[in-house]
Amino acid sequence: MMEPGAPVCNTCGEAVGLKPNGELFVACHDCNFPMCRSCVEYEAKEGRKVCLRCSSPYDEHLLDDDADQKPPGSSQPTMAAHLSDPQPKDVGIHARHVSTVSTIDSEMNDESGNPIWKNRVESWKDKKNNKKKKVAKNNKTEQAPAEIPHEQQMEDKQPGDALMQQPLSEIVPMSRNKLTPYRAVIIMRLVILGLFFHYRIMNPVDSAFGLWLTSVICEIWFAFSWVLDQFPKWSPINRVTYLDTLSARFERPGEPCELAPVDFFVSTVDPLKEPPLITANTVLSILALDYPVEKVSCYVSDDGAAMLSFESLAETSEFARKWVPFCKKYEIEPRAPEFYFSQKIDYLKDKVQPSFVKERRAMKRDYEEYKIRVNAMVARAQKTPEEGWTMQDGTPWPGNNTRDHPGMVQVFLGNTGARDMDGNELPRLIYVSREKRPGYQHHKKAGAENALVRVSAVLTNAPYILNLDCDHYVNNSKAVREAMCFLMDPQVGRDVCYVQFPQRFDGIDKSDRYANRNIVFFDVNMKGLDGIQGPVYVGTGCVFNRQALYGYGPPSMPTLTKSSSSSSCSCPSKKKAELDASELYKDAKREELNAAIFNLHEIDNYDEYERSMLMSQRSFEKTFGLSSVFIESTLMENGGVPESVNSSTLIKEAIHVISCSYEEKTEWGKEIGWIYGSVTEDILTGFKMHCRGWRSIYCMPPRPAFKGSAPINLSDRLHQVLRWALGSVEIFLSRHCPLWYGFGGGRLRWLQRLAYINTIVYPFTSLPLIAYCLIPAICLLTGKFIIPTLSNLASVLFLGLFMSIILTAVLELRWSGVSIEDLWRNEQFWVIGGVSAHLFAVFQGFLKMLAGIDTNFTVTTKAAEDAEFGELYMVKWTTVLIPPTTLLIVNIVGVVAGFSDALNKGYEAWGPLFGKVFFAFWVILHLYPFLKGLMGRQNRTPTIVVLWSVLLASVFSLVWVKINPFVNKVDSMEIAGTCISIDC
């Protein structure tokens, strides 16, 4: 199906190389088994002159340097020709109805009838022997260095050797002038917090004991949350990449390109909610990357099996034939046409070609025509025919029933497909819709991503995978090269499971009212994690090492010793000991699997051939499923498709691995691939990788790598936050909770664990936050306060605490480059999301995980505008809006009541009123963006929101007047006694 770069020797792992006449070296002309000249010479010296795969004898003139001509009677096909055989006409979309019965029986043997697993085990042994030979040769060379003349040593030091020593990336530590004061302020703030809590606990407010106790508990939780959030940012770092060095090392003139292939994953579900034009722009930006076309494959997962998505992708593949050469010819950025043509810049700048203006206008006209065709498809798809959709050839669309349909695979572009307008090859574009059947759990996005992992492994098997949401386009055409500067660096990329890029967004209002850009998280927190074990996986814009997705540990992972095992099991807690024991057992089993693949010396433990084959076959099938083609692809660390099957078999096997029953009784979603069990499968997947000992890298190129769209409407934004928070609660209630998971082996660093704990407990902050935002109103309504009369020491503590909070923020701004406006917006939305979405996520999570009740909060539109950012001013009713609206009304009522009471009591009441009003204004100021969103542009609030909020506030006030638990009963009795004596 594809040629993943230069063919790699199946014995030593080195490039196969070329013959003196420039042709690819082919050892066996019958089966094209990849072996380099050195390994063939070694085999010949050992007396083995037959092919390892098909047992055909090698040509007797194979190793003659003068044998530049083909042997008589031999067609001598090259490896490239073998891999790029055109596909049969009966594959592709016409194969979607093929039965999903496994084709293992026919694929257990290769084309010559030899077992695949026999070839793999023999290649392991031969590879080991060949490496021993190389090591012995190197040792011999080191023992006699004087035998090599000095002139020859100088000649051996080629410029390429010096180039190989140059780094592809570099860590730029933060300046000590910025980092040292930052750390000092963190320690100082921690000390002040200790003194502050000592004062608060030792000085209770007897007249309002309930209020005081509630406030102290809330403050302790806030301090705990601050520790979880702050200390993982202890050692932030920056990184720089050297793209010129990468190109010079792996793209040498006159030699085959050695850059690693990359498989792109784009996921979409409902084309009516996720417009096909947006998905098409993402696909076009991928196809037009500044990367070798033979190294790029784009897989589009249509999890809704919509004919609209299929037809729009077909139109996109046709438009790509014009768009891709235009982008590469003029090096335009970004390479998503919708966003390129919408830029308000001088497009003539730095464009000196006279033909550019003419071609740009023609391309814009072509794109407008393409948009009309796609929008016409969308308009037709608004109403589904009664008999269902029909394809152009008259056959019914297989996905008419979205919950019951077969798997579908269609290859649109590629080395055997259409070429661009200039006659050049285009990257592969593959449409995939996995099988859906009633009664099967499909696991939503995580299940779709795992299906793409398998189908891509069968068809192209690139060693690296980059996944994008359908609304995230490639904004920097060199983004993949940026990631390769880490992943292809032998010193850096060996233990890297993924490279995460920050998320950047288009279409957000200038003030970013609801903190949609999330700048503080991406520019502060993620930089801090990069200095520990790496950033968390955020669901999109991430380049994965495929081997890490398969559940393997990093190559340099230390093995578990008996001492570590015993120390882990001697825990005083019985439950923790059982957990550690199970973790150690799983680690031991996984190391056993790793050893069978990576640690070649372990092969000596298997004495007989049958035992070796049986162990490998059963272990891999239990883990990866019943597909020998897929299993063999997992053994190819450098990628590439299996050599033992043809193109027709690959398509059939691709359909087999996306069947809904394939994952049954396997480790998919449990230990390998995207992990199931949470709607935030991204956090869970990255956490499992870090627990295995991998590390990740944060890449922030000057030009943002990817850009997407974010919901700028208040209700939509809150529901997005609700979904993230619900996923965190699900992880907290699962076996993968960072509080107790992954302690066996000690591969997850403690600061990294604190960061993951913070990602799962932050929704629970909503409970103390709601209480803390109610306290100011209660204090104003009752005349009580949570803090006693301040002494000089207490005043110094409060002043020091506020100053340390301000200094921490200022120093973070200094080393991160974040603006103060972004910091303030983040602080505001922390309160808005905490008292609304996070609160509902906690209750929904407990109902779902403990009682099996799934609650949905519907969103209905109440107003709309067509102006720019009209969606920002759209008011949508949802239940999530009630708690923050109630808080606003209660605090405003409390401020009015407080001022009224002060006016009645005279000037003496104004002093105590200041602290209470300041506290209430703190709440109102943080909720101000919510208030603006609630009013809309016309300053009108949905009636139902006002009614519910006023009702809740009234009920709260009436209950308060009736009960009033914070009023000192002794004082009321004294007042009553005084009144009686006066009456007498």
Side-chain angles (χ1 to χ4, degrees):
M1 284 291 295
M2 69 170 285
E3 181 185 358
V8 177
C9 176
N10 223 39
T11 300
C12 65
E14 302 293 334
V16 171
L18 304 175
K19 297 169 63 176
N21 60 0
E23 295 182 359
L24 188 69
F25 179 81
V26 180
C28 177
H29 303 307
D30 292 331
C31 68
N32 293 292
F33 187 63
M35 284 188 67
C36 64
R37 176 182 293 271
S38 300
C39 293
V40 173
E41 290 176 350
Y42 177 73
E43 294 290 325
K45 290 179 181 179
E46 294 293 323
R48 295 189 292 268
K49 298 184 179 181
V50 295
C51 177
L52 294 176
R53 176 197 283 171
C54 64
S55 301
S56 300
Y58 292 135
D59 180 55
E60 58 182 358
H61 302 292
L62 178 65
L63 300 178
D64 295 341
D65 293 335
D66 297 331
D68 295 333
Q69 303 297 327
K70 296 180 182 178
S74 175
S75 59
Q76 196 175 3
T78 63
M79 183 70 67
H82 174 72
L83 291 178
S84 56
D85 287 338
Q87 300 178 10
K89 295 182 180 179
D90 61 341
V91 301
I93 191 64
H94 303 293
R96 61 181 174 272
H97 56 275
V98 174
S99 173
T100 56
V101 176
S102 176
T103 54
I104 290 178
D105 294 338
S106 61
E107 289 147 13
M108 275 301 297
N109 298 329
D110 61 15
E111 295 166 341
S112 302
N114 294 309
I116 294 175
W117 288 100
K118 176 182 178 181
N119 296 332
R120 178 56 56 191
V121 173
E122 288 180 351
S123 67
W124 276 335
K125 295 180 179 179
D126 293 332
K127 187 175 180 181
K128 175 196 169 184
N129 294 334
N130 193 63
K131 286 198 170 185
K132 284 183 177 179
K133 172 192 169 185
K134 289 186 176 181
V135 171
K137 184 177 179 181
N138 292 337
N139 291 338
K140 184 177 179 181
T141 305
E142 292 175 359
Q143 290 174 2
E147 298 178 1
I148 303 177
H150 179 72
E151 294 78 9
Q152 185 176 348
Q153 292 181 11
M154 296 300 293
E155 291 177 359
D156 289 341
K157 293 182 179 180
Q158 300 294 334
D161 297 334
L163 185 64
M164 294 297 291
Q165 300 299 324
Q166 295 180 9
L168 298 178
S169 64
E170 190 176 359
I171 295 177
V172 181
M174 294 292 175
S175 171
R176 290 187 177 181
N177 295 332
K178 297 179 180 179
L179 205 54
T180 302
Y182 176 66
R183 291 174 175 174
V185 170
I186 292 175
I187 299 299
M188 180 182 70
R189 182 173 171 181
L190 195 62
V191 173
I192 293 176
L193 273 174
L195 297 174
F196 171 78
F197 283 121
H198 179 267
Y199 168 80
R200 291 283 282 140
I201 294 172
M202 299 305 296
N203 294 273
V205 182
D206 297 328
S207 60
F209 186 80
L211 283 176
W212 167 84
L213 182 61
T214 303
S215 64
V216 169
I217 294 174
C218 294
E219 289 162 2
I220 291 175
W221 179 265
F222 295 150
F224 172 70
S225 300
W226 173 77
V227 170
L228 292 180
D229 182 69
Q230 193 69 55
F231 277 89
K233 297 182 285 189
W234 184 261
S235 301
I237 61 172
N238 289 315
R239 297 181 186 269
V240 293
T241 56
Y242 303 110
L243 299 182
D244 294 338
T245 305
L246 178 77
S247 180
R249 183 181 298 185
F250 297 105
E251 293 181 294
R252 298 179 181 178
E255 297 182 13
C257 177
E258 297 179 359
L259 288 174
V262 181
D263 287 339
F264 283 78
F265 293 173
V266 179
S267 301
T268 183
V269 179
D270 187 351
L272 299 180
K273 294 181 180 179
E274 301 165 338
L277 198 60
I278 299 298
T279 304
N281 272 270
T282 300
V283 171
L284 289 169
S285 67
I286 294 172
L287 298 178
L289 275 172
D290 182 8
Y291 207 71
V293 292
E294 69 276 8
K295 308 286 186 178
V296 176
S297 301
C298 179
Y299 291 82
V300 179
S301 171
D302 177 20
D303 217 31
M307 186 174 172
L308 174 58
S309 299
F310 177 80
E311 288 187 337
S312 63
L313 202 62
E315 283 288 344
T316 302
S317 65
E318 285 298 316
F319 179 71
R321 299 175 62 229
K322 302 176 182 178
W323 176 250
V324 172
F326 172 75
C327 293
K328 294 187 175 182
K329 181 178 180 180
Y330 296 108
E331 299 181 352
I332 66 170
E333 296 283 2
R335 299 189 178 181
E338 182 70 24
F339 301 95
Y340 169 69
F341 290 122
S342 63
Q343 290 182 117
K344 298 178 181 179
I345 60 173
D346 182 11
Y347 63 86
L348 297 177
K349 185 179 180 181
D350 300 329
K351 304 295 182 183
V352 296
Q353 296 90 336
S355 60
F356 172 69
V357 177
K358 182 179 179 180
E359 289 192 31
R360 185 186 186 278
R361 290 173 180 170
M363 184 55 61
K364 187 174 183 179
R365 183 171 57 251
D366 290 338
Y367 178 64
E368 293 298 330
E369 294 174 356
Y370 161 74
K371 285 176 63 177
I372 292 174
R373 294 194 297 270
V374 174
N375 290 331
M377 294 178 187
V378 176
R380 290 196 302 268
Q382 297 295 326
K383 186 177 181 181
T384 306
E386 294 182 1
E387 65 279 5
W389 298 105
T390 304
M391 294 187 293
Q392 294 181 357
D393 58 358
T395 58
W397 172 248
N400 280 325
N401 187 345
T402 58
R403 297 183 179 180
D404 187 3
H405 64 84
M408 294 176 277
V409 176
Q410 170 66 44
V411 181
F412 284 107
L413 300 174
N415 56 350
T416 59
R419 294 180 176 266
D420 65 21
M421 301 301 293
D422 297 337
N424 299 318
E425 184 182 338
L426 288 168
R428 296 167 187 82
L429 177 60
I430 300 138
Y431 170 89
V432 178
S433 182
R434 59 179 173 146
E435 183 186 24
K436 294 284 186 70
R437 301 296 181 192
Y440 286 92
Q441 178 62 261
H442 298 106
H443 303 289
K444 299 181 180 179
K445 181 182 177 181
E449 295 287 346
N450 285 338
L452 287 182
V453 171
R454 296 192 294 271
V455 72
S456 64
V458 171
L459 296 180
T460 52
N461 196 33
Y464 302 108
I465 294 171
L466 196 158
N467 81 298
L468 290 173
D469 290 342
C470 62
D471 59 348
H472 274 70
Y473 65 92
V474 181
N475 183 64
N476 183 349
S477 62
K478 298 183 183 296
V480 179
R481 294 177 180 270
E482 296 276 355
M484 290 302 126
C485 285
F486 303 106
L487 294 170
M488 295 190 69
D489 192 326
Q491 282 76 33
V492 177
R494 183 175 176 83
D495 296 335
V496 175
C497 55
Y498 59 82
V499 175
Q500 178 67 63
F501 291 88
Q503 291 186 22
R504 302 293 188 230
F505 301 97
D506 287 319
I508 297 177
D509 57 302
K510 187 177 180 181
S511 63
D512 192 13
R513 182 185 294 179
Y514 307 122
N516 283 281
R517 293 190 177 93
N518 218 351
I519 293 294
V520 173
F521 173 76
F522 286 111
D523 288 19
V524 180
N525 296 58
M526 296 287 266
K527 281 185 180 180
L529 291 177
D530 199 17
I532 310 172
Q533 201 171 342
V536 298
Y537 168 43
V538 296
T540 184
C542 187
V543 186
F544 283 97
N545 182 338
R546 188 183 283 269
Q547 294 293 319
L549 280 173
Y550 288 156
Y552 301 136
S556 62
M557 182 178 63
T559 57
L560 295 176
T561 60
K562 294 182 178 180
S563 60
S564 64
S565 175
S566 61
S567 63
S568 300
C569 295
S570 60
C571 184
S573 173
K574 182 178 179 181
K575 182 178 180 181
K576 188 174 185 297
E578 292 176 354
L579 286 172
D580 287 345
S582 63
E583 287 295 326
L584 291 172
Y585 174 76
K586 291 179 181 178
D587 287 335
K589 297 299 290 182
R590 189 151 303 282
E591 286 172 4
E592 196 177 301
L593 189 62
N594 287 335
I597 299 170
F598 297 113
N599 304 329
L600 300 179
H601 62 273
E602 294 292 334
I603 295 300
D604 290 340
N605 296 334
Y606 308 110
D607 300 325
E608 299 179 6
Y609 152 74
E610 291 83 3
R611 183 182 175 187
S612 301
M613 188 175 67
L614 186 62
M615 182 279 300
S616 301
Q617 183 76 10
R618 288 183 177 178
S619 298
F620 284 111
E621 284 183 356
K622 186 177 180 181
T623 302
F624 296 113
L626 298 174
S627 172
S628 60
V629 177
F630 173 75
I631 291 173
E632 188 171 357
S633 72
T634 65
L635 301 175
M636 307 173 75
E637 297 178 53
N638 298 320
V641 294
E643 306 291 338
S644 54
V645 288
N646 55 34
S647 303
S648 176
T649 306
L650 290 180
I651 290 291
K652 293 179 181 179
E653 194 65 14
I655 295 175
H656 166 59
V657 298
I658 59 175
S659 61
C660 52
S661 61
Y662 183 83
E663 294 184 356
E664 288 186 340
K665 297 181 180 180
T666 66
E667 295 295 323
W668 285 101
K670 302 173 185 175
E671 297 295 331
I672 63 176
W674 271 257
I675 307 301
Y676 304 149
S678 171
V679 295
T680 53
E681 70 286 333
D682 45 4
I683 297 293
L684 201 52
T685 302
F687 174 64
K688 293 275 285 188
M689 291 181 181
H690 284 135
C691 286
R692 295 190 188 108
W694 292 95
R695 63 190 182 94
S696 55
I697 282 180
Y698 197 49
C699 182
M700 295 182 64
R703 179 180 178 86
F706 309 100
K707 280 191 175 182
S709 57
I712 62 174
N713 178 264
L714 173 61
S715 301
D716 294 337
R717 171 70 166 139
L718 288 177
H719 273 265
Q720 181 189 56
V721 174
L722 170 62
R723 187 174 68 252
W724 294 343
L726 176 60
S728 296
V729 176
E730 289 174 341
I731 296 174
F732 177 81
L733 298 174
S734 72
R735 70 183 185 91
H736 291 116
C737 179
L739 288 170
W740 52 72
Y741 181 84
F743 281 93
R747 296 169 189 145
L748 187 68
R749 299 186 183 180
W750 277 103
L751 287 180
Q752 193 81 9
R753 186 177 296 277
L754 283 182
Y756 275 111
I757 292 174
N758 187 42
T759 62
I760 64 157
V761 301
Y762 77 89
F764 296 97
T765 306
S766 59
L767 300 175
L769 188 59
I770 284 276
Y772 213 66
C773 290
L774 278 174
I775 288 176
I778 297 173
C779 292
L780 288 167
L781 291 172
T782 61
K784 306 298 180 181
F785 201 39
I786 58 175
I787 299 174
T789 304
L790 295 179
S791 61
N792 292 334
L793 178 61
S795 301
V796 171
L797 282 176
F798 275 91
L799 183 62
L801 182 60
F802 282 116
M803 289 300 297
S804 64
I805 293 174
I806 295 173
L807 280 176
T808 306
V810 169
L811 292 174
E812 275 190 1
L813 298 179
R814 188 183 175 203
W815 63 254
S816 65
V818 175
S819 67
I820 191 170
E821 182 182 9
D822 290 323
L823 187 69
W824 174 238
R825 291 299 184 204
N826 181 79
E827 183 74 14
Q828 285 180 314
F829 197 77
W830 174 73
V831 176
I832 295 171
V835 299
S836 56
H838 297 173
L839 179 68
F840 279 82
V842 171
F843 287 107
Q844 186 177 352
F846 276 98
L847 287 174
K848 182 177 180 180
M849 300 300 293
L850 301 180
I853 302 174
D854 196 357
T855 308
N856 292 319
F857 306 102
T858 56
V859 180
T860 56
T861 304
K862 294 299 178 184
E865 291 190 9
D866 296 328
E868 185 179 9
F869 302 120
E871 188 181 354
L872 177 68
Y873 308 105
M874 187 183 301
V875 179
K876 297 181 180 181
W877 158 245
T878 174
T879 320
V880 180
L881 300 178
I882 294 178
T885 308
T886 304
L887 284 176
L888 272 171
I889 293 177
V890 169
N891 276 277
I892 292 173
V893 170
V895 170
V896 174
F899 276 106
S900 300
D901 186 62
L903 288 172
N904 292 331
K905 292 183 177 180
Y907 70 92
E908 293 181 355
W910 287 93
L913 178 67
F914 176 77
K916 304 172 188 176
V917 171
F918 174 80
F919 202 0
F921 271 117
W922 178 90
V923 176
I924 296 172
L925 196 60
H926 277 77
L927 293 175
Y928 178 69
F930 173 83
L931 180 62
K932 288 184 67 176
L934 202 64
M935 294 299 180
R937 176 167 283 178
Q938 301 90 355
N939 293 328
R940 292 191 302 112
T941 305
T943 306
I944 192 166
V945 175
V946 176
L947 290 176
W948 270 103
S949 302
V950 171
L951 179 63
L952 288 176
S954 303
V955 170
F956 171 78
S957 301
L958 290 173
V959 172
W960 183 265
V961 171
K962 183 66 177 175
I963 301 175
N964 202 358
F966 299 105
V967 175
N968 194 317
K969 293 182 173 54
V970 177
D971 294 341
S972 61
M973 292 177 63
E974 290 178 358
I975 293 173
T978 305
C979 295
I980 293 173
S981 63
I982 292 175
D983 291 338
C984 293

